[in-house]
Amino acid sequence: WFMASHKGSSGINAEYGGLLLRIMDRDPCPQRIWGDLGGAYAMGCLGGGLWHLIKGSYASRRGYKFIGGLSAMRKRAPVLGGNFAIWGGLFSTFDCLIAHGRGREDLANPILAGAVTGAVLSARAGIRASTRSGIIGGVLLIFIEGAAHFLQVYSEKQQHEAFDQIPGASAPPPPSSNETLKEPSKELKV
């Protein structure tokens, strides 16, 4: 397994496509997969529980709306949580495998992992559906990663402006454009 320690106070800087981005501190790959698997299951159960509570309440007859909602929530929320967990686990696994294969952490890894995850999850429907789902997964992750990147740049800009307004405080210097990804230490665990 690819074990790279990404812990640090300033994160890791990586240049991709002319954009400088700071990759947030993340767990090493094997722990990241388990964490994302559990987080996706919890998110699916909570969101699915709320969705099926409302849907079950709406579908039940008068006087039994709350009980009908709870019954639907109890039956369907764990299923939706499991579906989210499968997607999250596969995505994290492919993200780690792609990072290990490429030897770098940048925006391309989660985008490729989203495309591969979409393709693998719809592989039973045939090559055409698998290709379409892979493209949709990649495009979806382009939007997600792009939005996250621009939000991070915006928040860093706001932070620097806030430091400038405090008398006597100096903001940390912005990362220079010539900083690139430091080569992570590769340790193989058997």
Side-chain angles (χ1 to χ4, degrees):
W1 282 101
F2 174 60
M3 296 285 296
S5 176
H6 298 293
K7 297 292 180 188
S9 61
S10 64
I12 295 176
N13 295 326
E15 191 168 334
Y16 176 71
L19 296 174
L20 186 69
L21 64 122
R22 184 170 294 167
I23 297 174
M24 301 304 289
D25 293 335
R26 294 171 63 171
D27 290 332
C29 272
Q31 290 84 11
R32 187 185 323 167
I33 295 170
W34 289 109
D36 288 349
L37 191 73
Y41 180 76
M43 186 171 50
C45 280
L46 291 174
L50 181 63
W51 171 260
H52 287 293
L53 177 69
I54 294 168
K55 185 178 176 186
S57 296
Y58 182 76
S60 298
R61 62 188 172 113
R62 188 182 306 258
Y64 294 97
K65 296 221 177 257
F66 186 68
I67 294 172
L70 286 178
S71 177
M73 182 177 73
R74 189 184 77 234
K75 290 177 186 174
R76 299 299 304 165
V79 173
L80 194 58
N83 291 342
F84 268 69
I86 289 169
W87 195 94
L90 280 176
F91 174 79
S92 292
T93 302
F94 289 133
D95 190 21
C96 288
L97 289 173
I98 290 169
H100 176 63
R102 293 182 68 223
R104 51 189 295 187
E105 286 264 350
D106 57 11
L107 281 178
N109 294 346
I111 292 169
L112 291 172
V116 173
T117 301
V120 166
L121 287 176
S122 63
R124 290 177 49 187
I127 191 75
R128 186 178 235 173
S130 182
T131 303
R132 185 174 34 243
S133 292
I135 291 170
I136 291 170
V139 169
L140 180 67
L141 264 294
I142 286 172
F143 287 127
I144 291 171
E145 291 295 321
H149 172 71
F150 288 117
L151 283 173
Q152 182 178 1
V153 168
Y154 178 74
S155 68
E156 285 179 0
K157 179 182 170 189
Q158 293 295 325
Q159 184 180 16
H160 283 286
E161 289 175 1
F163 273 115
D164 290 342
Q165 293 177 357
I166 300 172
S170 62
S176 64
S177 62
N178 61 359
E179 290 182 32
T180 58
L181 177 69
K182 297 177 183 109
E183 189 65 33
S185 62
K186 295 181 181 179
E187 297 175 12
L188 295 176
K189 285 201 171 185
V190 181

